[in-house]
């Protein structure tokens, strides 16, 4: 694994998160950054990288493999700029722009307004930005992501295991379909290029193109 590059580590249930990870990698590469896109289950170490982006779908919370990855590599991740992205099919509109000091960016087409703004239902509370993000931050408290982005996902019930399918249908009540907002995803990636270069003070190597 080469040093001085940005790692995009992802896991996926049906392939849609992989497509998003690759699109983010393409945008970062346009700014001259050296980028590697890898499935996180195959990574033994993140030590060689100067910045790491971790992405995964929301299936009964952020994908278990992503939470384990962040916890396992928490020491190395605490020393470099890190960003998270979440693929979701349901999100409650709460207006949150930060959670515990972590900047949050949400696809404007994803969240739905609650039925009662002063009293969220159990399902609405579950599908909130803070409820999704806080367990991830708790898994590795020393890791302070510079951004946590929530993107619309893609849901095909036929590709889910039975437990996940029941959870999505009965608890989240998400409608199958493709909610990925590619312009928003690519804009976030473009902004991340500048943020990563600024955070590392030029330590990330750029391709000599």
């Amino acid at each position: 694994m080469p040093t001085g590059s940005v790692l995009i580590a992802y896991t996926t249930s049906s392939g849609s998160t992989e497509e998003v990870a690759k699109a983010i990698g393409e945008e970062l590469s346009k700014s001259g950054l050296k980028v590697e896109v890898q499935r996180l289950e195959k990574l033994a170490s993140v030590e060689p990288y100067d910045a790491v982006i971790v992405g995964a779908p929301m299936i009964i919370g952020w994908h278990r493999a992503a939470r384990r990855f962040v916890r396992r590599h928490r020491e190395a991740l605490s020393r470099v700029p890190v960003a998270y992205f979440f693929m979701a099919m349901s999100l409650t509109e709460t207006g949150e722009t930060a959670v515990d000091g972590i900047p949050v960016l949400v696809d404007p087409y994803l969240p739905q307004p609650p039925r009662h703004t002063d009293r969220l239902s159990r399902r609405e509370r579950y599908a909130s930005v803070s409820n999704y993000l806080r367990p991830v931050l708790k898994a590795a408290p020393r890791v302070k992501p510079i951004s946590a982005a929530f993107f619309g996902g893609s849901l095909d019930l036929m590709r889910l295991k039975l437990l996940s399918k029941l959870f999505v249908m009965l608890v989240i009540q998400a409608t199958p379909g493709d909610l990925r907002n590619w312009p928003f995803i690519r804009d976030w990636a473009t902004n991340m290029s500048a943020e990563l270069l600024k955070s590392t003070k030029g330590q990330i190597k750029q391709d000599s193109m």
Side-chain angles (χ1 to χ4, degrees):
M1 291 179 289
T3 59
S5 55
V6 180
L7 170 67
I8 302 176
Y10 72 91
T11 191
T12 187
S13 296
S14 60
S16 62
T17 305
E18 178 180 10
E19 294 171 352
V20 170
K22 289 180 176 178
I24 292 171
E26 290 173 0
E27 293 303 315
L28 294 180
S29 296
K30 289 179 181 178
S31 66
L33 293 173
K34 293 172 61 178
V35 181
E36 285 195 30
V37 181
Q38 299 280 351
R39 183 145 184 164
L40 57 82
E41 289 93 340
K42 298 181 179 180
L43 289 162
S45 173
V46 298
E47 291 285 352
Y49 302 97
D50 286 329
V52 181
I53 296 174
V54 186
M58 298 295 304
I59 299 292
I60 315 180
W62 208 32
H63 199 291
R64 183 182 303 174
R67 297 198 306 271
R68 287 176 176 172
F69 178 84
V70 169
R71 185 166 56 247
R72 183 184 311 119
H73 299 289
R74 59 187 179 275
E75 291 302 321
L77 293 175
S78 69
R79 296 192 292 268
V80 299
V82 173
Y84 299 148
F85 71 86
F86 301 73
M87 306 299 297
M89 296 299 296
S90 177
L91 196 66
T92 304
E93 187 177 274
T94 58
E96 294 168 287
T97 57
V99 173
D100 297 341
I102 305 303
V104 171
L105 197 64
V106 178
D107 180 342
Y109 295 119
L110 178 60
Q112 298 296 318
R115 293 184 62 185
H116 305 285
T117 55
D118 59 339
R119 187 180 70 257
L120 300 182
S121 67
R122 182 177 180 181
R123 184 182 69 82
E124 289 169 341
R125 286 196 305 272
Y126 183 88
S128 67
V129 164
S130 56
N131 187 61
Y132 283 159
L133 181 55
R134 282 203 171 102
V136 182
L137 299 177
K138 186 178 180 180
R142 291 182 59 192
V143 181
K144 304 295 184 183
I146 60 176
S147 178
F150 287 80
F151 304 141
S154 180
L155 176 61
D156 182 352
L157 292 177
M158 299 304 294
R159 294 190 175 188
L160 295 181
K161 294 180 180 179
L162 179 58
L163 181 59
S164 297
K165 184 185 297 187
L166 291 174
F167 183 83
V168 169
M169 293 174 62
L170 300 178
V171 179
I172 299 299
Q173 300 177 14
T175 302
D178 191 343
L179 302 181
R180 289 174 296 178
N181 181 351
W182 293 108
F184 183 82
I185 291 168
R186 291 184 179 276
D187 283 348
W188 179 80
T190 299
N191 291 331
M192 284 305 304
S193 298
E195 287 295 321
L196 292 177
L197 286 169
K198 181 173 65 176
S199 298
T200 59
K201 298 179 181 179
Q203 293 177 13
I204 297 179
K205 295 180 181 178
Q206 294 179 277
D207 289 330
S208 55
M209 296 178 62

